[in-house]
């Protein structure tokens, strides 16, 4: 009904910041559009990086997206003839996002979900691990470690230029916060 196959599936694209998840999501979206498949793109509204209502990669590629806060909101927005559902920043959703992806795939759609698999502490991030388990296809991609050049699988959180500690709150008023891609050797979490 929706495409050349008679069932849908889930693709998970995961990794640390700067690994190219958004770039890869945009690449898959673009190719589906070239094939004249109807695509709908969603992103979690918590992430306001660069632009509202767009998925934007760190190297400046972008595509329009609908900002949502819940899995239910995605479901309400799905149009009947949509074959590809792309979701960015999937780690910010609650566990309901996994059920939503399964439901969409069961309906015959191709779901492509991108997100962080680990938080800045190097621990599993929200619903991403469960989504990886439910997915037919998982691509775990790497950035380049800013310190040593090894494959970077982790996101280093810096507060005023120093490694954020394990017990730092997620919101730090008045502090400058930044992120880097690092390997397991160079990733620092004081207090862990
Ligand atoms: P993600 O969505 O995983 O954060 P993006 O697709 O937004 O990744 O960005 C990937 C781009 O980030 C790369 O193409 C590159 O231009 C840039 N980049 C910046 N720092 C790094 C790094 N340390 N390793 C790899 N790419 C980096
Ligand atoms: Zn390193």
């Amino acid at each position: 009904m929706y495409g050349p196959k008679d069932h849908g599936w889930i693709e998970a694209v995961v990794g640390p910041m700067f690994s190219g998840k958004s770039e890869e999501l945009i690449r898959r979206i673009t190719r589906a559009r070239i094939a004249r498949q109807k695509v709908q793109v969603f992103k979690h509204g918590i992430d306001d990086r660069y632009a509202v209502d767009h998925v934007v990669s760190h190297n400046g590629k972008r595509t329009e997206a609908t900002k949502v806060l819940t899995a239910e909101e995605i479901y309400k927005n799905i149009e009947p003839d949509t074959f590809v559902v792309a979701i960015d920043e999937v780690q910010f959703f609650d566990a309901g996002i996994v059920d939503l992806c399964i439901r969409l795939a069961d309906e015959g759609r191709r779901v492509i979900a991108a997100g962080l698999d680990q938080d800045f502490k190097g621990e599993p991030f929200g619903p991403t691990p469960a989504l990886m388990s439910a997915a037919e296809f998982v691509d775990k991609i790497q950035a380049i470690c800013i310190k040593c050049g090894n494959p970077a699988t982790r996101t280093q959180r810096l507060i005023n230029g120093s490694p954020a500690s394990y017990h730092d709150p997620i919101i730090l008023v008045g502090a400058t916060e930044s992120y880097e891609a690092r390997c397991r050797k160079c990733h620092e979490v004081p207090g862990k």
Side-chain angles (χ1 to χ4, degrees):
M1 179 181 179
Y2 296 104
K5 302 284 190 286
D6 57 8
H7 67 82
W9 62 88
I10 302 170
E11 301 166 27
V13 179
V14 307
M17 277 180 74
F18 305 106
S19 61
K21 299 182 300 297
S22 302
E23 223 180 313
E24 179 59 20
L25 190 64
I26 292 167
R27 190 185 72 84
R28 294 184 193 188
I29 290 165
T30 304
R31 292 172 70 83
R33 286 189 175 137
I34 289 167
R36 299 178 194 282
Q37 294 173 342
K38 179 156 173 176
V39 183
Q40 282 187 270
V41 185
F42 298 91
K43 64 179 278 191
H44 198 284
I46 206 172
D47 173 56
D48 271 332
R49 184 173 83 192
Y50 303 123
V52 183
D53 301 337
H54 284 81
V55 170
V56 184
S57 71
H58 287 100
N59 60 352
K61 300 209 174 102
R62 66 172 57 211
T63 192
E64 272 186 37
T66 304
K67 278 176 81 169
V68 291
L69 292 172
T70 63
E72 191 55 37
E73 240 181 297
I74 295 180
Y75 199 72
K76 277 191 276 180
N77 273 285
I78 297 290
E79 289 157 26
D81 56 342
T82 293
F83 175 52
V84 179
V85 179
I87 307 168
D88 202 11
E89 305 291 1
V90 77
Q91 75 277 359
F92 291 133
F93 288 91
D94 63 40
I97 196 72
V98 182
D99 294 332
L100 172 88
C101 291
I102 291 169
R103 188 168 172 181
L104 293 173
D106 286 346
E107 288 177 359
R109 305 182 214 265
R110 174 186 177 193
V111 181
I112 317 171
L116 296 164
D117 58 327
Q118 294 177 21
D119 61 18
F120 76 91
K121 301 168 183 172
E123 294 178 345
F125 204 145
T128 309
L131 192 72
M132 290 163 71
S133 148
E136 272 82 0
F137 306 99
V138 178
D139 287 290
K140 178 157 169 163
I141 55 178
Q142 293 77 35
I144 303 292
C145 177
I146 215 99
K147 290 264 178 194
C148 75
N150 273 327
T153 52
R154 304 203 181 173
T155 304
Q156 179 68 51
R157 182 183 189 213
L158 300 166
I159 306 291
N160 299 326
S162 302
S165 67
Y166 193 80
H167 298 289
D168 274 345
I170 293 298
I171 310 285
L172 274 173
V173 180
T176 306
E177 185 183 39
S178 58
Y179 294 91
E180 287 178 351
R182 295 202 190 173
C183 71
R184 68 162 62 243
K185 178 171 67 75
C186 300
H187 188 247
E188 296 169 84
V189 188
K192 182 169 174 173

